[in-house]
Amino acid sequence: MARLFGTDGVRGLANSELTPELALRIAAAAARVLAAHDRSHRPVAVVGRDPRASGEMLEAAVCAGLASAGADVLKVGVLPTPGIAFLVGDLGADMGVVISASHNPMPDNGVKLFAAGGHKLSDEIEDEIEADLDSTAERPTGAGVGRIYEVSDATDRYVAHLLTATPNRLDGLKVVVDCANGAAWATAPRAYREAGAEVIAIHALPDGENINDGCGSTHLDALRAAVLAEGADLGIAHDGDADRCLAVDAAGEVVDGDQIMAVLALAMRDAGELTDDSLVVTVMSNLGLHVAMRDAGVKLRTTAVGDRYVLDELRASRLALGGEQSGHVVLPGHATTGDGLLVAMRLMARVAATGRSLAELAGVMTKMPQVLVNVRVADKATVAASTLVSAAVSAVEAELGETGRVLLRPSGTEQLVRVMVEALSQEAAQTAADRLAAVVATAQ
C-alpha cells in the first residue's frame, strides 16, 4: 500500500481523493498521536487554510476530527502557510493543520501538519498518524471533547512578526505583488505597505475558484506586464499558500529563487548573519549560482531536490539560509518553513538599503542556460545501473568541463528519468540533453 503522506502532507482531488471523511480521520489521528507523546496537558491545534472553495468543507472536517479526539482548536482562517506555522509557536500550540494544495489547481486540496514550534513532522510521526487512522480508541465525552475558538488577531500577529524580521523599511519602493488569488491576498499587500512600500496588488480578489488560475509564481506574464505598465521598481509573485516567492525586476525580467538566494546570501554575509558563510541549495540550482557564490567566498551545501532536504541540512548544520530555484527559500532564524512574504520583504529591504536596482543586485550571478528533458522509461533502476548511460554522461561532462553540468535524476513518483544539462549556450545545453535523453531511452 502506498504511503498516505507525500513530501508535503496529504494532497489529492478534493471531495474525491481527499474527502472530508479522510480529513477528519487524519486530524483525529494526529491529535491522538501527539497526545500520546505528551500527556501533560490537553492538545491545542492551530488550523488555517487557503481560500479555495473546498477549504471551507475540509476545515470543518479537520476541526471536528481534532475536537472529537479531545484537542482544542484555534481557527485562524485564511492565512499563508508560513503564517500558520509561525502561529503554532507564537500561540504555544502543540500542532498546526494547514488546508492547502499550494500551487496546485483549484480542484485539488491538501492537509499539511506541523508539530510544536511550527516544524514539519518527522516521517516517523507521520507513519504513526497513518497507522492510527482506523483507531477504535474510546473517544472523550463531556468536558473531554475539544473546543473550537476563533483567533481574531492572527493576521496582526503574523504581520508584526514580518515587520520585526525585516532589517530596514521599504520607503521609496514601488512594488506590484501578484497574490495568486490565494492565501496572501490580504496579508502580503498589508505587510509591504506597513513596511513603507507603495503597493499595487493584482490577483488579490479570491472567489474560491480562481486560486492559481493563470496567475501567481507559476504564471509570471501578468506580473511582468503590470510592473512595466505601473513603472514599478520590482514585482513579487506568490503561489497559492505563499510559501514561495519569485520576483520581476523593473525591466520585466524574471528573478528566480537562485538569484534571490544570491542577493540574500550577500546581504546576510555583509550583516554577519550568514552562518559559516554557507548557503544550502538543491542539485537543481543553476551552475551560475555556484560560480557566483564561489567568487564571493560563500560556500554551497547541496541536497537532494525538495524543501524537506534543505530544511534537514539547515537544521543539522545550524545554517541561516537555504532554498530552491522555485522560490521556496528558508530563513531559519525567522521561520520554520519557506516564507514567501518574509523572503520578499528581505529582498526589497536589500534594494531599499543599497539604493541599487533589483536587476543590478541579481546580476551578481549569471544564469547558465538550463535544459530539462523528461524521458519515460520502463524501469528507473535499470537506467540508473546502465553502464551505457554512465559512459554517455561522463563523455558529455568531459566536453563541458567547468562551463557546464549534467544531472540525471529518477522521478520520485513516476517511471521517468529527468535529464538536466547546463552549458554556456542554450543550443549546447539542448544538444547535450537530447543526446543523453536518446541514450537513456535505449538503455532499458
Side-chain angles (χ1 to χ4, degrees):
M1 178 179 173
R3 189 171 186 267
L4 178 65
F5 285 89
T7 57
D8 207 20
V10 179
R11 287 190 192 177
L13 182 61
N15 214 30
S16 175
E17 298 165 339
L18 179 57
T19 63
E21 293 84 358
L22 176 57
L24 186 149
R25 289 164 58 210
I26 292 169
R32 286 191 295 266
V33 166
L34 292 174
H37 279 261
D38 182 359
R39 298 185 183 279
S40 65
H41 62 282
R42 182 182 183 115
V44 176
V46 173
V47 177
R49 62 183 177 87
D50 72 25
R52 67 188 75 212
S54 60
E56 299 158 3
M57 167 187 76
L58 294 173
E59 178 187 57
V62 163
C63 291
L66 291 165
S68 75
D72 287 338
V73 177
L74 304 177
K75 287 176 61 179
V76 300
V78 173
L79 207 64
T81 289
I84 297 164
F86 163 75
L87 288 167
V88 173
D90 193 55
L91 295 170
D94 300 283
M95 63 177 290
V97 185
V98 179
I99 301 154
S100 174
S102 189
H103 57 279
N104 283 29
M106 184 279 290
D108 289 348
N109 216 323
V111 174
K112 183 189 298 188
L113 303 176
F114 289 107
H119 296 282
K120 286 195 173 186
L121 296 184
S122 67
D123 289 343
E124 292 73 24
I125 295 293
E126 287 182 345
D127 289 341
E128 285 186 52
I129 292 170
E130 189 166 341
D132 193 79
L133 284 179
D134 297 314
S135 171
T136 56
E138 185 176 353
R139 294 182 179 180
T141 58
V145 174
R147 305 294 298 275
I148 300 175
Y149 306 93
E150 303 276 351
V151 180
S152 60
D153 64 346
T155 300
D156 296 340
R157 286 171 175 264
Y158 178 47
V159 170
H161 160 67
L162 292 171
L163 293 171
T164 300
T166 304
N168 53 270
R169 289 187 55 79
L170 312 180
D171 299 287
L173 288 186
K174 184 176 183 180
V175 58
V176 178
V177 56
D178 186 337
C179 301
N181 291 315
W185 75 273
T187 311
R190 173 183 165 181
Y192 304 158
R193 287 186 181 115
E194 290 193 17
E198 178 186 349
V199 180
I200 298 99
I202 63 174
H203 302 122
L205 291 171
D207 61 11
E209 299 180 12
N210 58 3
I211 186 170
N212 298 322
D213 187 9
C215 56
S217 60
T218 54
H219 301 86
L220 294 172
D221 286 347
L223 177 62
R224 297 173 69 187
V227 167
L228 293 173
E230 297 288 347
D233 295 296
L234 73 157
I236 296 292
H238 297 301
D239 59 338
D241 72 337
D243 63 353
R244 298 186 188 190
C245 166
L246 292 179
V248 169
D249 67 23
E253 295 298 318
V254 174
V255 177
D256 68 14
D258 284 342
Q259 293 166 294
I260 290 171
M261 285 190 288
V263 174
L264 295 186
L266 298 187
M268 293 173 69
R269 182 202 61 187
D270 293 349
E273 297 176 339
L274 192 66
T275 310
D276 193 35
D277 284 343
S278 294
L279 169 64
V280 179
V281 300
T282 75
V283 293
M284 291 301 289
S285 277
N286 193 275
L287 180 60
L289 178 60
H290 289 253
V291 173
M293 293 298 95
R294 181 192 66 203
D295 292 347
V298 174
K299 294 170 280 189
L300 257 61
R301 306 210 185 177
T302 305
T303 74
V305 174
D307 66 289
R308 171 173 295 222
Y309 302 109
V310 173
L311 277 165
D312 287 346
E313 178 60 25
L314 286 168
R315 289 180 193 147
S317 300
R318 298 184 179 182
L319 299 176
L321 178 65
E324 299 183 280
Q325 194 179 58
S326 61
H328 193 280
V329 178
V330 186
L331 292 142
H334 304 284
T336 57
T337 187
D339 188 331
L341 279 70
L342 173 62
V343 170
M345 291 182 76
R346 300 278 294 205
L347 182 68
M348 288 188 283
R350 182 63 166 175
V351 174
T354 61
R356 299 164 66 190
S357 70
L358 178 57
E360 185 181 356
L361 291 170
V364 69
M365 79 167 265
T366 301
K367 289 173 66 174
M368 295 282 195
Q370 190 177 79
V371 171
L372 178 66
V373 179
N374 292 320
V375 185
R376 187 160 296 279
V377 298
D379 186 353
K380 293 178 289 187
T382 299
V383 173
S386 169
T387 56
L388 186 66
V389 171
S390 60
V393 169
S394 296
V396 171
E397 287 178 331
E399 292 170 12
L400 294 174
E402 293 187 358
T403 65
R405 187 166 63 115
V406 175
L407 176 66
L408 259 67
R409 184 172 67 89
S411 166
T413 57
E414 301 177 82
Q415 286 295 339
L416 292 175
V417 172
R418 307 192 193 282
V419 179
M420 189 273 284
V421 176
E422 290 170 334
L424 287 175
S425 71
Q426 187 74 25
E427 182 182 7
Q430 188 70 60
T431 299
D434 290 342
R435 176 175 146 197
L436 288 174
V439 175
V440 168
T442 59
Q444 302 180 56

